[in-house]
Amino acid sequence: MLAGHDWHPEGRDDLVIKKSGDSWLLYDPTRDSRHLLDPTAALVWSFCTGENRVDVIRAKVLGAQEPGDSAEDVQEILDGFQAAGFFVED
């Protein structure tokens, strides 16, 4: 885990997200890279506004998804976003 539960992840403003079939495409113009997000990852991304703590994001995602998604899945997605540099740095 890269950040604690009191972390308020905020996505960078320059990233572009668009629907692509059943998935979402997240484009990073700084790195000219594209990342395909499944519906759960796209939902996690939608809550990364800087206003929600990680535990709130987990609760919102787990309340909206199919059984089988876990808190660990949400944390893995957040950690992946952070490792990819998708968040505003404090």
Side-chain angles (χ1 to χ4, degrees), residues 16-20 23-27:
V16 178
I17 188 165
K18 292 187 178 187
K19 183 98 166 117
S20 176
S23 300
W24 291 85
L25 184 66
L26 186 65
Y27 175 65

Side-chain angles (χ1 to χ4, degrees), residues 43-64:
L43 186 60
V44 169
W45 182 255
S46 74
F47 295 122
C48 293
T49 62
E51 297 176 8
N52 298 303
R53 288 187 328 264
V54 170
D55 60 333
V56 172
I57 293 172
R58 277 192 207 109
K60 288 180 176 186
V61 170
L62 296 176

